[in-house]
């Protein structure tokens, strides 16, 4: 009996697209039932969004004051309490899922499969190791619930024509008070989201300053693209950490990725392996980024980027 | 506080170009440079800074691994840790087993703070700290880029997908490090000599009374599919044209 529980990711009002990607992964498991758990404090809207995802049977809405912020220590015992009716518990391999799911797995006394890329069987999966330099096929032991995170760049989001039932639930679980949420600092912009954009332009150390990133933003605006960065650019303080692409940043799969002044370190490449077309602009013809680029252009970014902006004009 | 425990894993150095064994049984680890997992170096650096600020008395480094892992623990001692414990196991341990072993060490050593890396760059699991916090029933602050202590409370800034999240929690607790928490110091030669005299105790899972958890079985290992050979273009104009040809620009 394959019954899957997916832990929804949301920001208190909107469901994160990573949830619909987990559903796609779950649908690959030939499940008899796919349920989504929405932990929130007033989660009606979020539950309604989850109920629209294709292939979902039930949405469990667990409203509770403590669920207002996504604290692992608070969510994990609730997930563990729900888990006993399921064969699989899945969550996205985002900072949210990575924080919460291993804690739930340990409470259930089981290991976790991190970063599912592909399904080979009910308990057999492909996943990346060594920053994606090797792909292993792993089999989880046959006892107990299987807890896993889903590498969201590997799955398309499921559609939104569903109409699942929503069930409000109260869980009789004691929650710890030892951890308190303070705040989220985020430079919310109206730019496309890095993790879901179809086009992404990233800048590296070569940009030289935060101001110089403006030339990338201008080009990105013309293309409707999201803007990302290498770790070096983030470390240098040119842009905030949530823009980092790579092994320890975001793993993305846009149709078009343009790397500007980025050398192509293996940890950066891990983040863009699944991009449709990779374009590299770098003044050094020997930069490793050209080994993976589909289209390469050697030259000075400070000439090329403004020129591209002019050439592309408004004909996107 | 009295004691900080830091978990150091021995992994293939991050500069090594990983190659998959031709028979698909794993990656080649013979003859390659081994190091402390980079996130764990950051964990140790943070612990040392806390001690140097006078906010902790002792820094204990621990690891689970084969006998050679003593090298990485010695490096940790040379960086400035006071004491080391190796849980000697020649077979790799998964995150749940590692967490059980660390819990057993916690029960003996009673640290107020345990710092781990957010992930080991070999298996990229990103689980052990979270599992340890669950088994210990204590707070966890993962992906830390800033850690502040005040009495028996701590405040951590976490690097999350949406930006920077701040949480506050009571000690004892588990913290896992992200890259921007600090820059680890270099080890100086005299320190390496001094480290030889620092205590490094050996134990085993059996001694600790820890049972191995059922672990993932690796059925095969392959190299990722390589991307096709790309083309070079001469200038911005040619780039735009090529993107149009490929239907990526109208
Ligand atoms: C454990 C670990 C995890 C890591 N995780 C990540 C990660 O998630 N993401 C990540 O990005 N990195 C990560 N790194 C860091 C990574 O190893 C590299 O240091 C980093 O990606 C380099 O950034 P960069 O390419 O911007 O800088 P550099 O390597 O300095 O490259 C700058 C490039 O710009 C080019 N250039 C300079 N001037 C110009 C110009 N005017 N016009 C055109 N080109 C120019 C240069 O030729 C060079 O190729 C990680 C490292 C470690 C150890
Ligand atoms: N065998 C081990 N020895 C020492 N530390 C470990 C071991 N396994 C995991 N860790 C710690 O747990 C962190 C996360 O590892 P992982 O969950 O495997 O990605 C690492 O950065 C280490 O700090």
């Amino acid at each position: 009996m394959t019954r899957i529980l997916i832990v929804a990711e949301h920001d208190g009002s909107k469901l994160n697209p990573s949830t619909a990607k987990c559903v796609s992964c779950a649908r690959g498991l030939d499940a008899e039932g796919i349920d989504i758990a929405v932990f929130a404090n007033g989660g009606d809207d979020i539950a309604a969004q989850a109920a629209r995802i294709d292939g979902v049977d039930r949405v469990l809405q667990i409203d509770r004051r403590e669920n207002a912020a996504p604290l692992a220590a608070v969510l994990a015992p609730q997930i563990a309490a729900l888990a006993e009716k399921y064969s699989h518990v899945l969550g996205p391999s985002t900072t949210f899922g990575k924080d919460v799911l291993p804690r739930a797995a340990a409470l259930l006394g089981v290991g976790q499969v991190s970063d599912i890329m592909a399904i080979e069987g009910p308990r057999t999966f492909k996943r990346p190791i060594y920053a994606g330099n090797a792909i292993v096929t792993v089999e989880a032991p046959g006892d107990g619930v299987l807890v896993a995170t889903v590498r969201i760049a590997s799955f398309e989001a499921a559609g939104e024509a569903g109409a699942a039932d929503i069930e409000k639930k109260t869980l009789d679980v004691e929650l710890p008070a030892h951890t308190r949420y303070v705040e989220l600092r985020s430079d919310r912009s109206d730019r496309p989201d890095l993790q879901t954009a179809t086009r992404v332009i990233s800048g590296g150390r070569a940009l030289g300053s935060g101001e110089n990133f403006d030339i990338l933003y201008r080009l990105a605006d013309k293309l409707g693209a999201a803007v990302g960065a290498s770790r070096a650019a983030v470390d240098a303080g040119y842009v905030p950490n949530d823009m980092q692409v790579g092994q320890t940043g975001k793993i993305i799969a846009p149709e078009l990725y343009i790397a500007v002044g980025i050398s192509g370190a293996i940890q950066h490449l891990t983040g863009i392996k699944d991009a449709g077309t990779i374009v590299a602009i770098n003044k050094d013809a020997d930069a490793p980024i050209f080994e993976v680029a589909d289209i390469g252009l050697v030259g000075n970014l400070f000439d090329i980027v403004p020129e591209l902006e002019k050439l592309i004009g408004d004909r996107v | 506080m009295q004691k900080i425990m830091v978990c150091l894993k021995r992994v293939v150095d991050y500069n090594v170009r990983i190659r998959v064994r031709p028979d698909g049984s794993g990656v080649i680890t013979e003859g390659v440079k081994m190091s402390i997992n980079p996130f764990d170096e950051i964990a140790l650096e943070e612990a040392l800074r806390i001690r140097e600020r006078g906010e902790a008395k002792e820094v204990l480094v621990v690891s689970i691994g084969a006998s050679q892992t003593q090298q990485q623990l010695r490096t940790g001692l040379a960086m400035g840790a006071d004491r080391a414990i190796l849980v000697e196991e020649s077979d790799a341990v998964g995150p749940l087993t590692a967490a059980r072993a660390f819990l057993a060490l916690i029960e003996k050593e009673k640290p107020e703070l345990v710092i781990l890396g957010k992930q080991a760059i070999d298996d990229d699991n990103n689980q052990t700290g979270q599992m340890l916090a669950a088994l210990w029933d204590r707070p966890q602050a993962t992906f830390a880029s800033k850690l502040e202590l005040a009495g028996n409370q701590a405040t951590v800034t976490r690097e999350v997908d949406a930006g920077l999240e701040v949480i506050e929690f009571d000690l004892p607790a588990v913290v896992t490090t992200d890259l921007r928490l600090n820059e680890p110091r270099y080890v100086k030669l005299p320190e390496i000599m001094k480290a030889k005299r620092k205590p490094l105790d050996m134990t085993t899972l059996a001694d600790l009374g820890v049972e191995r958890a059922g672990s993932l079985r690796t059925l095969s290992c392959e190299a990722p599919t390589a991307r096709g050979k790309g083309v070079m273009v001469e200038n911005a104009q040619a780039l735009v044209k090529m993107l149009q040809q490929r239907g990526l620009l109208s």
Side-chain angles (χ1 to χ4, degrees), chain B residues 191-211:
Chain B
E191 304 295 335
I192 298 177
M193 301 310 292
K194 251 183 22 205
K196 292 200 173 125
R197 292 191 301 272
K198 291 186 181 175
L200 194 168
D201 293 329
M202 307 286 282
T203 182
T204 61
L205 291 179
D207 285 348
L208 292 170
V210 170
E211 215 178 301

Side-chain angles (χ1 to χ4, degrees), chain A residues 33-105:
Chain A
I34 300 177
D35 295 353
I36 295 184
V38 174
F39 297 97
N41 182 24
D44 288 353
D45 283 357
I46 303 158
Q49 293 163 49
R52 282 198 291 276
I53 301 175
D54 289 342
V56 176
D57 296 292
R58 269 190 327 162
V59 174
L60 310 176
Q61 183 184 339
I62 304 99
D63 277 339
R64 190 161 171 169
R65 186 179 47 79
E66 292 91 332
N67 291 344
L71 290 174
V74 163
L75 297 181
Q78 299 178 73
I79 296 168
L82 284 176
E84 59 188 32
K85 297 207 183 68
Y86 296 89
S87 58
H88 296 65
V89 175
L90 303 181
S93 186
T94 54
T95 52
F96 165 75
K98 287 174 182 172
D99 186 41
V100 173
L101 282 152
R103 187 162 182 131

Side-chain angles (χ1 to χ4, degrees), chain A:
Chain A
M1 181 212 60
T2 306
R3 287 179 53 86
I4 302 174
L5 180 69
I6 294 169
V7 181
E9 175 171 5
H10 62 83
D11 63 5
S13 57
K14 263 187 72 197
L15 192 67
N16 190 294
S18 64
T19 308
K21 295 187 170 201
C22 289
V23 174
S24 286
C25 175
R27 290 175 90 180
L29 282 163
D30 282 332
E32 279 149 57
I34 300 177
D35 295 353
I36 295 184
V38 174
F39 297 97
N41 182 24
D44 288 353
D45 283 357
I46 303 158
Q49 293 163 49
R52 282 198 291 276
I53 301 175
D54 289 342
V56 176
D57 296 292
R58 269 190 327 162
V59 174
L60 310 176
Q61 183 184 339
I62 304 99
D63 277 339
R64 190 161 171 169
R65 186 179 47 79
E66 292 91 332
N67 291 344
L71 290 174
V74 163
L75 297 181
Q78 299 178 73
I79 296 168
L82 284 176
E84 59 188 32
K85 297 207 183 68
Y86 296 89
S87 58
H88 296 65
V89 175
L90 303 181
S93 186
T94 54
T95 52
F96 165 75
K98 287 174 182 172
D99 186 41
V100 173
L101 282 152
R103 187 162 182 131
L107 293 179
L108 291 163
V110 297
Q112 177 187 282
V113 182
S114 294
D115 307 311
I116 293 178
M117 302 173 70
I119 293 160
E120 303 285 303
R123 301 182 83 85
T124 311
F125 307 95
K126 280 195 193 309
R127 65 172 300 262
I129 58 170
Y130 287 98
N133 283 305
I135 311 295
V136 282
T137 304
V138 292
E139 188 185 40
D143 48 344
V145 54
L146 188 146
V147 179
T149 60
V150 176
R151 183 176 182 275
I152 58 176
S154 300
F155 294 88
E156 300 271 346
E160 286 184 26
D165 294 332
I166 300 174
E167 197 178 300
K168 292 202 179 183
K169 250 184 131 64
T170 2
L171 296 174
D172 185 21
V173 179
E174 206 186 315
L175 300 180
H178 53 49
T179 309
R180 293 160 300 272
Y181 176 87
V182 179
E183 61 173 341
L184 175 68
R185 286 190 228 127
S186 115
D187 306 293
R188 279 255 171 259
S189 69
D190 34 21
R191 277 174 201 293
D193 172 59
L194 190 54
Q195 271 163 311
T196 46
T198 53
R199 294 168 173 174
V200 173
I201 306 178
S202 285
R205 193 197 310 269
L207 268 295
S209 71
E211 292 80 69
N212 287 345
F213 258 80
D214 282 346
I215 63 171
L216 295 191
Y217 290 127
R218 281 204 295 273
L219 179 57
D221 287 344
K222 289 270 167 72
L223 289 167
V227 178
S230 71
R231 175 183 166 199
V234 177
D235 283 358
Y238 305 162
V239 293
N241 69 287
D242 52 8
M243 285 172 63
Q244 182 172 314
V245 172
Q247 181 187 13
T248 47
K250 288 180 176 141
I251 312 267
I252 57 175
E255 282 165 26
L256 175 63
Y257 185 76
I258 307 181
V260 180
I262 291 177
S263 60
I266 189 74
Q267 296 89 359
H268 187 80
L269 301 183
T270 306
I272 59 169
K273 281 207 162 80
D274 296 314
T277 298
I278 297 176
V279 174
I281 299 168
N282 195 302
K283 70 173 183 191
D284 173 9
D286 294 324
I289 188 80
F290 289 122
E291 289 164 30
V292 299
D294 300 288
I295 310 175
L297 173 50
V298 178
N300 185 341
L301 75 94
F302 294 104
D303 300 329
I304 294 169
V305 174
E307 206 183 331
L308 281 175
E309 191 203 329
K310 232 180 281 149
L311 285 167
I312 289 169
D314 297 317
R315 55 185 167 142
V316 190

Side-chain angles (χ1 to χ4, degrees), chain B residues 49-115:
Chain B
R49 290 185 191 187
I50 294 169
R51 191 194 60 197
E52 284 158 7
R53 285 201 302 266
E55 294 178 319
K57 293 218 171 64
E58 185 182 34
V59 174
L60 166 69
V61 286
V62 303
S63 188
I64 311 162
S67 169
Q68 301 91 302
T69 308
Q70 289 176 75
Q71 292 161 8
Q72 280 65 43
L73 287 173
R74 288 283 171 211
T75 307
L77 293 170
M79 271 178 75
D82 300 291
R83 210 151 62 74
I85 301 176
L86 175 61
V87 182
E88 191 182 348
E89 290 297 318
S90 44
D91 293 336
V93 297
L96 184 56
T97 306
R100 287 181 182 172
F102 294 144
L103 181 67
L105 291 172
I106 286 172
E107 282 161 359
K108 281 199 156 107
E109 296 286 339
K110 310 255 183 311
E112 291 94 335
L113 180 62
V114 180
I115 316 182

